[in-house]
Amino acid sequence: MNTLAIKELLALVARGDTSVDEAAAKLADLPFESLGYATVDHHRELRTGFPEVVYGAGKTKDQISGIVQSIRRQGQNALVTRVSPDVAQKVRAELSEADQSNTVLDSVAQLLFVGEVQKGKCRGRIAVVSAGTSDLPVAEEAAKTLEFFGNEVFRVCDVGVAGLHRLLPFRNKLEECEVVIVVAGMEGALPSVIGGLLSRPIIAVPTSVGHGTNFGGVTALLSMLNSCSSGITVVNIDNGFGAAYAASLINRKRDV
């Protein structure tokens, strides 16, 4: 349950359209609900502006399904990350007919979203720039998460430093964005280049894409952490979701 829903419920009580007991019953599962295998935080959207997001890896289909249905009973959007397409399809099949029609599955980003995107909460666009096509799963995890949180996204794909001229035509468009997320593997040089071209906040995402001495993304991570370009913040390896969450906080209007 979010702030708007609680205000609407209180207005119903004030008008006498809902009894105090009925309202209390609807609020009974705040701030959390225990499912035995999970304790779902229904209070998180009230505190942070975004509902709890489910990390799908390592969870069974029944666990994910139960958590998603718990979130939906509170009228909140449900987002599951790192979920395989077959598990996502099984979870979707157990939803109500209305929720099935409001479900988005993205096999590239490995995301499952149930609900309705709320527009009007963001100041401007957020760019997601990927160095190579192999970085797209992480880039799309970021881009789709941003869209599910109500952001407008500007995508720029495959503009890594091996052919830097591909990036330059997008410079003005990137400068118009509120935040720029840059996703890169190998040596992770692209965020430094973009950070030296723009006055926008940069969130760098190292990926595990690369040859042996990439060390599963550690080389890219260290390169980004040691960038000489100012204004770059770095998230963990392959953490497109984390970059999108941070960018959404930066881009969110203060009065909503």
Side-chain angles (χ1 to χ4, degrees):
M1 184 170 287
N2 56 32
T3 302
L4 178 60
I6 288 181
K7 288 181 178 179
E8 290 176 348
L9 179 61
L10 293 176
L12 290 173
V13 174
R15 293 198 303 267
D17 295 333
T18 295
S19 71
V20 172
D21 288 342
E22 289 172 334
K26 291 182 179 180
L27 296 172
D29 288 330
L30 289 177
F32 59 84
E33 178 181 2
S34 176
L35 303 179
Y37 52 85
T39 304
V40 187
D41 185 1
H42 295 312
H43 199 259
R44 191 168 303 181
E45 186 168 359
L46 290 172
R47 298 194 313 271
T48 69
F50 300 108
E52 181 173 12
V53 175
V54 184
Y55 179 67
K59 292 183 176 67
T60 67
K61 180 268 295 184
D62 290 335
Q63 289 171 340
I64 296 173
S65 181
I67 295 169
V68 168
Q69 291 182 45
S70 172
I71 293 171
R72 291 300 293 156
R73 283 195 296 271
Q74 290 292 324
Q76 296 178 334
N77 290 337
L79 175 61
V80 185
T81 67
R82 304 298 168 92
V83 59
S84 63
D86 59 326
V87 170
Q89 288 285 6
K90 292 176 182 178
V91 171
R92 181 180 187 177
E94 296 184 358
L95 295 172
S96 68
E97 185 174 337
D99 274 350
Q100 287 184 23
S101 64
N102 284 328
T103 298
V104 177
L105 305 176
D106 192 293
S107 59
V108 176
Q110 293 189 312
L111 292 177
L112 168 68
F113 177 78
V114 187
E116 297 182 0
V117 175
Q118 296 181 359
K119 300 293 186 180
K121 290 188 173 183
C122 306
R123 298 198 309 267
R125 289 196 297 177
I126 298 176
V128 177
V129 183
S130 57
T133 304
S134 296
D135 299 310
L136 277 180
V138 177
E140 277 303 297
E141 180 181 69
K144 286 294 183 181
T145 298
L146 288 168
E147 290 175 341
F148 294 150
F149 285 166
N151 300 279
E152 181 183 353
V153 178
F154 175 57
R155 291 171 171 83
V156 180
C157 303
D158 195 24
V159 291
V161 297
L164 197 54
H165 59 291
R166 299 173 295 176
L167 171 67
L168 297 179
F170 298 102
R171 179 181 176 184
N172 290 339
K173 288 288 187 180
L174 293 174
E175 185 64 45
E176 294 171 358
C177 295
E178 294 294 322
V179 189
V180 179
I181 295 174
V182 185
V183 183
M186 299 292 187
E187 83 279 30
L190 188 59
S192 292
V193 173
I194 292 179
L197 291 174
L198 304 179
S199 63
R200 303 288 89 197
I202 307 294
I203 301 178
V205 187
T207 73
S208 52
V209 172
H211 304 295
T213 53
N214 174 261
F215 297 114
V218 173
T219 296
L221 172 63
L222 294 177
S223 176
M224 293 174 183
L225 288 171
N226 285 281
S227 174
C228 65
S229 295
S230 301
I232 295 178
T233 299
V234 186
V235 298
N236 209 345
I237 299 168
D238 292 336
N239 192 9
F241 165 76
Y245 195 103
S248 296
L249 290 174
I250 296 170
N251 193 41
R252 189 173 58 182
K253 294 177 180 177
R254 296 287 295 177
D255 57 346
V256 294

